[in-house]
Amino acid sequence: MRFGICILPEEPWRHTRPRWQRAEEMGFDHAWTYDHLVWGGLPDSQWFSCIPTLTAAAGVTSRIGLGAFVISPNFRHPASLAREVQTVADISDGRLLVGLGAGGAPDDTILGQPDVTVRERVDRLQEFTLLLDRMLTDDHVSDHGEYYSVRDMRLVGGSVRDRIPLILAGNGPRSVRFAARHGDGWVTTGAGADNLDDWFGGVARHCRIFEETVADRSDGKAVDRYLSVDSSPRNSLESVGLFDEIVGRAGELGFTDVIVHWPRDTDPYRARLEVLELIAQRGLA
């Protein structure tokens, strides 16, 4: 099992910089931040941008993976994103992890774009992902799709795709299957539930869909599985015992990675920093 931690970009860099450094010192395998213009979970909070934050984190760390959790098509074009991730992957010496998801409110209307259905949102993400993949692999990419067009996008110097893993979010059957077929990883937050057993039951159902689909993958590639454990009805950092229970159950379902959140004093992700410190002191593995 590998362990990740998500640091919300809600405070100025002078406050969050020590958290990224501490995450590496604690032994986490990867650290993440959200990619939004405005996050619905804290709509009145100060908020900072994902890509510059990861670039800054690359400069103050040396080992830990650096992840976007997750980039959506709501306010991005795959061509400009391709250039940004190519650059951050270079600055971080190949430590960038690119999470991609369908996105939601309020980012989906901030630019004045028309409403899209859930199905259209998934259609758009799939087109976005496949085009991004091409532009990180090939030179002179041109395409005219339903949602995105690009004309002679350049990638001088050869493919960079082998050091930019695409980790695809999926919380429904269609997106889980797409992640299993096309991703380097699958990340899920599960579905809403009132208790931990029901939440893990829903996650288990998606795991079965994933396993059935990935078994038929044409390239035979192993696909990592990431579980955002604080999306359950319980915060994993309530206690060391609960953390161990949740991680154990994730491992039983075949997850290779779990992601927790840096503790906050208020909801969401309210927890005590002391619990995180205790887990780190005894070793994450």
Side-chain angles (χ1 to χ4, degrees), residues 176-187:
V176 172
R177 292 188 181 97
F178 185 77
R181 293 189 184 104
H182 299 284
D184 301 299
W186 164 48
V187 60

Side-chain angles (χ1 to χ4, degrees), residues 39-62:
W39 182 44
L42 289 170
D44 298 319
S45 173
Q46 190 176 39
W47 201 257
F48 294 88
S49 183
C50 172
I51 298 296
T53 297
L54 293 177
T55 305
V60 299
T61 59
S62 60

Side-chain angles (χ1 to χ4, degrees), residues 121-136:
R121 202 184 302 275
V122 175
D123 290 341
R124 184 180 63 175
L125 172 64
Q126 293 187 2
E127 182 179 313
F128 186 99
T129 299
L130 296 175
L131 184 54
L132 175 66
D133 194 343
R134 284 181 59 198
M135 288 186 290
L136 294 171

Side-chain angles (χ1 to χ4, degrees), residues 185-212:
W186 164 48
V187 60
T188 185
T189 58
D194 293 329
N195 59 70
L196 205 56
D197 287 341
D198 288 348
W199 185 75
F200 267 111
V203 172
R205 288 190 290 274
H206 286 152
C207 284
R208 289 192 288 272
I209 293 171
F210 177 87
E211 289 162 0
E212 292 167 359

Side-chain angles (χ1 to χ4, degrees), residues 12-207:
W13 179 244
R14 64 181 180 275
H15 297 307
T16 55
R17 170 179 174 163
R19 296 176 186 173
W20 290 87
Q21 294 170 310
R22 184 67 184 124
E24 182 166 77
E25 293 167 358
M26 285 176 167
F28 279 97
D29 297 287
H30 31 77
W32 305 74
T33 199
Y34 287 179
D35 185 42
H36 294 283
L37 295 177
V38 176
W39 182 44
L42 289 170
D44 298 319
S45 173
Q46 190 176 39
W47 201 257
F48 294 88
S49 183
C50 172
I51 298 296
T53 297
L54 293 177
T55 305
V60 299
T61 59
S62 60
R63 175 198 57 81
I64 197 168
L66 304 170
F69 184 40
V70 293
I71 293 169
S72 84
N74 277 331
F75 54 93
R76 295 193 179 277
H77 189 284
S80 56
L81 178 63
R83 188 64 73 224
E84 289 181 329
V85 300
Q86 175 194 4
T87 303
V88 181
D90 176 65
I91 292 170
S92 66
D93 196 22
R95 292 185 285 136
L96 180 64
L97 305 168
V98 179
L100 298 171
D107 286 341
D108 58 346
T109 58
I110 284 177
L111 302 186
Q113 58 266 54
D115 292 339
V116 293
T117 66
V118 173
R119 182 178 183 82
E120 289 169 336
R121 202 184 302 275
V122 175
D123 290 341
R124 184 180 63 175
L125 172 64
Q126 293 187 2
E127 182 179 313
F128 186 99
T129 299
L130 296 175
L131 184 54
L132 175 66
D133 194 343
R134 284 181 59 198
M135 288 186 290
L136 294 171
T137 304
D138 300 328
D139 195 11
H140 295 288
V141 173
S142 295
D143 195 86
H144 183 73
E146 182 176 355
Y147 297 96
Y148 300 101
S149 297
V150 63
R151 181 181 299 169
D152 197 27
M153 177 62 177
R154 300 303 311 276
L155 185 63
V156 178
S159 174
V160 296
R161 179 66 174 83
D162 59 343
R163 56 194 179 95
I164 303 176
L166 302 183
I167 300 164
L168 308 185
N171 298 316
R174 186 179 171 209
S175 292
V176 172
R177 292 188 181 97
F178 185 77
R181 293 189 184 104
H182 299 284
D184 301 299
W186 164 48
V187 60
T188 185
T189 58
D194 293 329
N195 59 70
L196 205 56
D197 287 341
D198 288 348
W199 185 75
F200 267 111
V203 172
R205 288 190 290 274
H206 286 152
C207 284

